[in-house]
Amino acid sequence: MSVSIKSAREIELMRAAGKILEKVHDNLGKELKAGMSTWEIDRLGEEIIRSYGCIPSFKNYNGYPASVCVSVNDEVVHGIPSRKHLIQEGDIVSLDIGVIYKGYHSDAARTHGVGELSQEAALLIERTRQSFFEGIKYAKEGNHLHEISNAIAAYAESFGYGVVRDLVGHGIGTRLHEDPQIPNFTQKSRGVRLKAGMTLAIEPMINAGRFDVVWQEDNWTVVTQDGSLSAHYENTILVTSGEPEILTLSHMEA
């Protein structure tokens, strides 16, 4: 496994890609409302991405047909937008988006609540987000990759949640998915030693029930096996000699 170390120029390009993606998420998240179709969300998301001079990372990636993965309630990831799927009051909606800026990818996901949420849903969103921050406490040069994984899992599992095992985070750069793979569940091995200049997409996918998931017939949409709610939170980060830099989050209201 070869984990790329980004040059100063590459880091600047990835910072720019990250800042744009943060704006895309901020703008699109404000538009979510009951009655919208997931197809409308995708169409608007692609318009916003292209308005910044970027290319959607996901569109036609391995055949994926949309620019925004829109996953609702028990859908974990990779939900395919549809004109028929209308967002309802009380739904939780995960938006996973990637952009390409001058050849460099950034990748981030947010889970939003629409209207009044159940306490279960609100807590799941909040704790999934916090599990990311628990993990990146260990995203420092000299630490090992799986310290991040173990911290995410320990936090999420302390609430009885299921941490998805079939999907993981990843390195990122000129390709959307680079080495290393980044599990969100507990690992026995230490994983690679982290070095300054590594860029990682860390993305806890947390189920309110068990961790088991199944793929639907479209071969993309992943849902919880037990029908429980699922939340997703992701940022692209840069490992430095000190604290990690979150490239897709400059403020804390995401």
Side-chain angles (χ1 to χ4, degrees):
M1 178 173 58
S2 175
V3 182
S4 69
I5 305 296
K6 306 303 189 291
S7 68
R9 174 185 167 277
E10 289 180 304
I11 289 168
E12 282 308 309
L13 289 169
M14 292 200 67
R15 278 197 184 107
K19 285 187 172 70
I20 290 168
L21 181 52
E22 178 178 18
K23 291 175 183 175
V24 172
H25 266 295
D26 287 349
N27 292 337
L28 187 57
K30 290 172 186 172
E31 298 296 326
L32 289 183
K33 58 183 180 292
M36 283 183 88
S37 72
T38 56
W39 179 87
E40 287 178 88
I41 296 168
D42 175 62
R43 179 186 56 79
L44 182 57
E46 181 170 346
E47 285 179 6
I48 297 169
I49 291 167
R50 295 193 186 279
S51 76
Y52 287 106
C54 291
I55 298 167
S57 295
F58 299 165
K59 193 159 192 179
N60 301 317
Y61 181 79
N62 291 337
Y64 186 76
S67 299
V68 180
C69 296
V70 187
S71 305
V72 183
N73 294 333
D74 66 336
E75 295 173 347
V76 181
V77 286
H78 304 159
I80 295 178
S82 166
R83 293 174 188 267
K84 297 177 182 177
H85 192 164
L86 302 182
I87 301 300
Q88 307 293 322
E89 183 86 8
D91 281 350
I92 66 172
V93 181
S94 297
L95 304 178
D96 189 2
I97 311 174
V99 304
I100 308 170
Y101 174 76
K102 296 187 177 180
Y104 284 82
H105 293 264
S106 62
D107 190 1
R110 308 280 186 261
T111 299
H112 301 270
V114 179
E116 287 293 317
L117 292 187
S118 67
Q119 184 182 35
E120 177 194 31
L123 286 173
L124 178 66
I125 292 172
E126 175 189 320
R127 290 165 175 172
T128 298
R129 184 179 186 276
Q130 186 58 35
S131 72
F132 165 87
F133 289 99
E134 295 299 318
I136 67 164
K137 290 176 182 178
Y138 297 90
K140 299 178 182 179
E141 184 171 53
N143 285 352
H144 287 81
L145 183 69
H146 292 163
E147 293 178 70
I148 300 172
S149 308
N150 296 346
I152 290 170
Y155 179 80
E157 289 173 351
S158 73
F159 301 103
Y161 294 149
V163 180
V164 173
R165 286 158 167 69
D166 291 66
L167 301 138
V168 296
H170 50 92
I172 186 170
T174 55
R175 289 177 293 125
L176 178 59
H177 294 108
E178 298 183 350
D179 285 336
Q181 291 194 347
I182 308 169
N184 300 301
F185 47 97
T186 303
Q187 301 293 297
K188 292 181 180 176
S189 67
R190 300 173 76 190
V192 300
R193 184 183 291 273
L194 299 175
K195 296 179 181 178
M198 289 181 175
T199 45
L200 309 173
I202 297 172
E203 50 177 322
M205 290 156 272
I206 309 297
N207 300 342
R210 291 182 51 79
F211 64 76
D212 309 86
V213 299
V214 292
W215 269 253
Q216 294 193 321
E217 287 183 6
D218 61 23
N219 291 322
W220 278 106
T221 309
V222 180
V223 299
T224 59
Q225 190 176 75
D226 59 10
S228 63
L229 296 175
S230 186
H232 184 196
Y233 188 81
E234 174 184 21
N235 283 301
T236 298
I237 72 158
L238 169 70
V239 178
T240 74
S241 56
E243 294 298 316
E245 180 181 343
I246 308 177
L247 302 181
T248 49
L249 185 70
S250 61
H251 58 82
M252 300 302 285
E253 291 81 36

